[in-house]
Amino acid sequence: MSSRYGEVYQSWQKDPQAFWAEAAGELEWIRKPNKIFDESQGVYGRWFPDATCNTCWNALDRHVEAGHGERRAIIYDSPVTQTKATFTYRQLRDEVATLAAVLTDNGVTKGDRVIIYMPMIPEAVMAMLACARIGAIHSVVFGGFASKELATRIDDAKPKMVLTASCGIEPGRVVQYKPLLDEAITLSSAPPEKVLLLQRPQAQAPLIAGRDMDWATQIAAAKAAGKMAACVELNAIDPLYILYTSGTTGIPKGVVRDHGGHMVALKWTMTNLYNIKPGDVFWTASDTGWVVGHSYICYGPLLQGATSVIYEGKPIGTPDAGVFWRVISEHKVVALFTAPTAFRAIKKEDPNAEFLKKYDTSSLRALFLAGERADPNTVQWAEDCLKVPVIDHWWQTETGWCIAGNPMGLGLLPIKHGSPTVPMPGYDVRIVDEAAQPLANGKMGSIVIKLPLPPGCLPTLWQNDARMQDSYLSEFPGYYKTADAGYKDETGYLYIMGRTDDIINVAGHRLSTGGIEEVLASHPDVAECAVIGIKDDLKGEAPCGFVVLKSGTTKAHDKIESEIVQLVRDKIGPVAAFKLAITIDRLPKTRSGKILRGTMKKIADHDAWTLPATIDDPAILDEIAAALKRKGI
Ligand code: COA
Ligand code: AMP
C-alpha cells in the first residue's frame, strides 16, 4: 500500500484548524468546539478554547455507553508478583468512578492537585482516570525517584492528596514507598492533607493517624454505600495533568497537559500512527511515571477503545529474556511500544533470540521505539527477530506525542535506520543555526518547531509562563526549541543526534547533569565537580561525575567516591543510575572559566577530539584521560 502521509500532511499544512476540527469530531464533547484555535490566549495560543469535555468520559464511559462495556480495557501482567488480572471497560469505569467518589468525599475537587506515587499496577491508571473524572490535576511521580525529588514536586504542585502504594517490586528487592513518601512530606513546605495508601501483600506500611487512609477500606466503604462520582464538565483548556521532567537545574519543569487538545491528538495517533483499532491489544512497556506511560499505557489506548497491557516487570530477569515474547503471545499483542534500551537488554542476554522460538508472536504487527535514539544495530536485530516493521519515533515529555514518526495507519513510508522518519501533521520542523537561520539538508543544527505547537503539546509550565518562555520560546522567536540537535536528509527524513543542553538520556530516562552536579557539590569534601553522560552499551548513556576535593581533605578518595554514589541515590534516586565518581586534581576549563564538558565526554567515549583553542591548561585533559583509564574506561 502506498502511504497517504504526503496527502494528509499537506492537508494539515493547508488548513491546520480544519485538520484539528475534523480530528476533534472523533471524540465526544459536552460543548463542541466552535473556535478551534485562539492565538491570543496563553503563551502561544490555546486549542479548542470554548469547548467543554471530560477525558475520563471519552476514555471509559463513552465505550460503555456505546455497548462495549464487556471489552477488555486493561490486562495487568506482573511477573514480579506472579499476578494477572483483566478489567473490562465497565469494570474499569466502575472502579474509577468509585475511587473518584473517595477523592471527592475527602475534599478533592476540580483544579486540586493530586500526586500519584505508585508502581505499575492497575490502581495507578485508575488513580489517573479518577482525577480526570472529577477535574483534579494529577501529577504522577516515578517510583524510582527518592524523597527529595518527590518533595520538590510536592512543593511545586501543592497537592491536596497523595495516592500511593506500600511498595514497588524491583528484581530482587521490595522498594518500600511509604518511608520515602513520609520523608518527602517532612521535607516539603506544602504537605498534602491526606494520603490514600494501597497495601500490597509484599509490604505492609504503617498509617499515620489523621492523615493516611487505607485504600481498600475506603473503596469498600464507597462501594457499600453505592458511591460513584460522575464525570465533571471541564473546559478543554483546563489542565488534565502536570508531569515533571528534568530541566537544567535541580528544579524540574512541570509540563502541563490540557484535556481537549490532548485527547484529540492521542486519538489521532492511535488510528493514524499506531494503526490500532478498537479491541486491539496495545502494549506499552514503560511506566506510568513517564510521558510514554501517560500517553500510551493510560490515555491513548483507552481513548481508542483498545486494550492496554500494564506490565510490571523488566525485559530481562523477570524471569528471563523471553518474557516480552511471552506477553505478546499470551495476550495477542498487536503492537509493542518500548525504549530501545529494553531491546538492547534482551539482545545482550539472548543474542540469538533462542527464547523467541518458544512463543507464537504472530499477532504482532509492529514494534514502536522511542525515548532515546534507536541505534541501527538494535533496530536491525529487532527486525530480524520479529519480522515486523520496527518503527522509531521521536518525541518529548513536552509534546506528549510523536513529533516525527512513520505513520503506520496512513501506510508505512520506507524505513531508514537511524531516522525516526518524518514530521507528523501539526509539526513544522526546521533545522536552524544559532541565528535561527534555516540550514541546508544534511547540515546539523538545532531542531525547532514553528509555533503554534499542535493540540496535546504543553500550553505552558505549571504556574510558570515565564520559565516556559525562557526555556522554549525566547531563543528562536516564533519557534519552540526542542533542545535536540539533528539534520534532515535530501528526502526530508529527520535524524535526531543528541541534546543541545545538559540533559542526558539513561535507559530512556531523562536526567539533568546540572541536577546531579548540585548533589555532588553538596558533599562536604567536594570543591568542584562536572557530570557528563558517557556511552553505555546497554543504557545508551551513563552518568559519570568528576570531583575535585577541597584542599586538606584527608579521607580516602575511594571512600568519598562511594559516599557520592550513595548521595545521588539518596537524593535523586536509583533511577539516576549513578555508579561512577572519579576524583581528579583539577577540571579542564577555558580561560574564562567554563568547564570543558564536551571535550571530557569525547575523551571518555574514545571519540576523536581536538584541543579547544580557548583551553587554559591542556595538560589537564591528559589527567582526565588517565583518571578514566584507572577506572577501566
Ligand atoms: N522504583 C524503584 N526503583 C526503580 C524503579 C522503580 N519504579 N525503576 C527502576 N528502578 C531502579 C532499578 O532497580 C535500578 O536500581 P539498582 O541501581 O539498584 O539496580 C535503578 O533504578 C536503575 O534502573 P534502570 O535504569 O531501569 O536499570 P535496570 O538495570 O534496572 O534495567 C533496563 C535496565 C534496560 C532493563 C531497564 O532500563 C528497562 O527496562 N528499560 C525499559 C525502557 C523504559 O522503561 N524506558 C522508559 C521510557 S520509555
Ligand atoms: P523525554 O522527555 O523523557 O521523553 O525525553 C525526550 C528526549 O529523549 C528527546 O528530547 C530526545 O533527546 C530523546 N529522544 C526521544 N525519542 C527519541 C528518538 N526516537 N530518537 C532520538 N532521541 C529521542
Side-chain angles (χ1 to χ4, degrees):
M1 181 178 98
S2 71
S3 178
R4 289 176 51 233
Y5 164 76
E7 170 202 323
V8 172
Y9 191 79
Q10 273 167 25
S11 79
W12 163 74
Q13 276 178 315
K14 214 169 119 227
D15 192 345
Q17 296 203 25
F19 183 91
W20 292 117
E22 191 185 330
E26 296 288 313
L27 280 312
E28 276 181 23
W29 302 82
I30 301 171
R31 190 168 69 231
K32 285 201 163 104
N34 267 322
K35 193 156 186 63
I36 301 304
F37 183 71
D38 181 355
E39 62 181 20
S40 71
Q41 286 198 41
V43 180
Y44 63 84
R46 300 302 303 264
W47 291 97
F48 312 114
D50 61 4
T52 62
C53 61
N54 185 286
T55 299
C56 183
W57 173 274
N58 276 283
L60 300 178
D61 304 60
R62 182 167 59 96
H63 307 303
V64 178
E65 300 289 319
H68 305 303
E70 305 323 308
R71 186 188 289 160
R72 293 173 308 170
I74 283 176
I75 298 170
Y76 168 57
D77 189 312
S78 168
V80 291
T81 59
Q82 307 283 335
T83 320
K84 287 174 202 166
T86 299
F87 292 84
T88 65
Y89 271 93
R90 185 186 309 282
Q91 288 167 333
L92 187 59
R93 194 266 320 258
D94 291 352
E95 291 294 336
V96 166
T98 308
L99 178 57
V102 170
L103 299 186
T104 311
D105 275 359
N106 282 288
V108 178
T109 167
K110 186 183 153 185
D112 286 341
R113 275 78 59 212
V114 172
I115 286 213
I116 300 172
Y117 186 57
M118 296 185 79
M120 280 292 290
I121 53 178
E123 286 81 357
V125 167
M126 290 172 192
M128 295 164 78
L129 292 162
C131 290
R133 193 169 188 87
I134 58 170
I137 303 165
H138 64 69
S139 187
V140 184
V141 179
F142 179 61
F145 282 121
S147 299
K148 190 172 162 287
E149 289 290 321
L150 181 54
T152 310
R153 287 154 174 80
I154 292 175
D155 283 348
D156 196 63
K158 301 186 176 44
K160 190 163 242 177
M161 199 161 167
V162 175
L163 304 187
T164 191
S166 55
C167 64
I169 291 128
E170 285 297 291
R173 75 191 156 104
V174 171
V175 181
Q176 308 265 358
Y177 280 19
K178 189 61 184 348
L180 296 170
L181 175 62
D182 286 343
E183 196 192 333
I185 293 177
T186 309
L187 290 171
S188 163
S189 57
E193 288 165 23
K194 299 261 169 71
V195 171
L196 185 63
L197 181 137
L198 182 85
Q199 299 281 12
R200 301 188 77 191
Q202 295 77 12
Q204 290 289 305
L207 301 184
I208 295 177
R211 188 196 71 188
D212 301 349
M213 298 175 298
D214 177 58
W215 188 297
T217 310
Q218 293 284 319
I219 292 290
K223 281 187 178 166
K227 286 185 182 170
M228 288 207 199
C231 292
V232 167
E233 180 170 5
L234 299 163
N235 292 318
I237 57 174
D238 283 340
L240 165 67
Y241 70 75
I242 308 165
L243 178 56
Y244 288 91
T245 190
S246 301
T248 41
T249 66
I251 309 291
K253 293 171 175 164
V255 167
V256 173
R257 197 85 57 212
D258 65 14
H259 275 264
H262 176 245
M263 61 179 193
V264 170
L266 291 193
K267 178 91 172 61
W268 186 90
T269 62
M270 290 307 296
T271 304
N272 297 290
L273 174 61
Y274 299 105
N275 194 28
I276 296 297
K277 313 264 178 303
D280 280 348
V281 181
F282 188 69
W283 176 23
T284 298
S286 175
D287 191 287
T288 44
W290 308 118
V291 68
V292 170
H294 279 64
S295 295
Y296 295 110
I297 294 173
C298 181
Y299 290 109
L302 298 179
L303 287 166
Q304 186 69 335
T307 304
S308 181
V309 178
I310 298 181
Y311 173 72
E312 188 182 25
K314 303 272 171 179
I316 53 169
T318 60
D320 54 41
V323 68
F324 270 30
W325 324 139
R326 197 265 299 156
V327 172
I328 292 169
S329 81
E330 195 169 320
H331 305 303
K332 305 271 174 293
V333 170
V334 307
L336 167 63
F337 176 177
T338 192
T341 188
F343 267 73
R344 285 198 298 269
I346 299 170
K347 178 175 153 218
K348 192 169 168 213
E349 193 94 348
D350 182 21
N352 299 320
E354 296 295 338
F355 278 108
L356 194 55
K357 295 179 188 145
K358 286 172 53 184
Y359 301 99
D360 172 8
T361 57
S362 58
S363 59
L364 195 73
R365 299 197 294 248
L367 167 66
F368 292 90
L369 298 175
E372 55 171 328
R373 187 176 145 74
D375 54 289
N377 282 345
T378 304
V379 174
Q380 185 67 58
W381 185 82
E383 278 173 351
D384 293 345
C385 295
L386 294 170
K387 314 252 179 316
V388 296
V390 176
I391 301 169
D392 178 20
H393 59 323
W394 166 60
W395 48 299
Q396 308 182 312
T397 304
E398 288 84 348
T399 64
W401 62 285
C402 169
I403 309 168
N406 198 335
M408 200 173 184
L410 298 175
L412 274 186
L413 295 163
I415 290 172
K416 296 189 194 177
H417 290 181
S419 167
T421 319
V422 288
M424 289 297 97
Y427 295 101
D428 178 352
V429 180
R430 315 266 178 101
I431 313 289
V432 297
D433 64 14
E434 280 163 10
Q437 292 308 304
L439 289 169
N441 287 340
K443 286 254 180 287
M444 179 114 130
S446 294
I447 314 181
V448 298
I449 300 165
K450 191 163 188 317
L451 293 173
L453 292 169
C457 293
L458 81 170
T460 190
L461 294 173
W462 177 245
Q463 296 189 327
N464 207 339
D465 285 353
R467 194 172 181 198
M468 169 78 185
Q469 281 283 4
D470 203 43
S471 308
Y472 303 107
L473 309 179
S474 58
E475 192 172 334
F476 302 100
Y479 296 89
Y480 163 84
K481 177 178 86 169
T482 66
D484 277 315
Y487 62 94
K488 273 185 193 174
D489 73 9
E490 63 294 343
T491 60
Y493 274 49
L494 268 168
Y495 292 76
I496 316 300
M497 304 311 289
R499 298 280 304 193
T500 58
D501 56 11
D502 72 348
I503 300 291
I504 57 171
N505 197 315
V506 180
H509 308 140
R510 175 167 156 178
L511 297 171
S512 154
T513 54
I516 302 174
E517 284 177 6
E518 284 175 27
V519 177
L520 266 48
S522 73
H523 188 283
D525 294 319
V526 171
E528 269 193 300
C529 64
V531 172
I532 56 172
I534 62 176
K535 268 186 208 160
D536 184 90
D537 284 349
L538 177 63
K539 299 191 179 190
E541 281 186 293
C544 165
F546 293 91
V547 289
V548 177
L549 303 182
K550 287 180 182 161
S551 58
T553 305
T554 49
K555 223 188 257 176
H557 290 185
D558 55 353
K559 172 97 174 52
I560 295 174
E561 287 166 6
S562 58
E563 282 173 6
I564 286 170
V565 167
Q566 190 59 40
L567 197 61
V568 175
R569 199 175 169 90
D570 292 345
K571 297 277 182 215
I572 297 180
V575 67
F578 184 83
K579 314 258 184 215
L580 188 60
I582 306 179
T583 310
I584 48 171
D585 291 335
R586 14 187 223 163
L587 284 166
K589 292 184 187 166
T590 62
R591 282 188 283 276
S592 59
K594 203 166 158 274
I595 298 172
L596 291 161
R597 292 183 182 76
T599 313
M600 291 164 79
K601 177 172 168 52
K602 286 197 174 118
I603 295 172
D605 288 347
H606 303 284
D607 285 345
W609 58 277
T610 47
L611 196 65
T614 53
I615 193 165
D616 188 25
D617 182 351
I620 304 178
L621 293 176
D622 297 331
E623 293 168 19
I624 295 291
L628 284 160
K629 202 165 175 197
R630 278 198 297 278
K631 296 279 181 185
I633 295 158

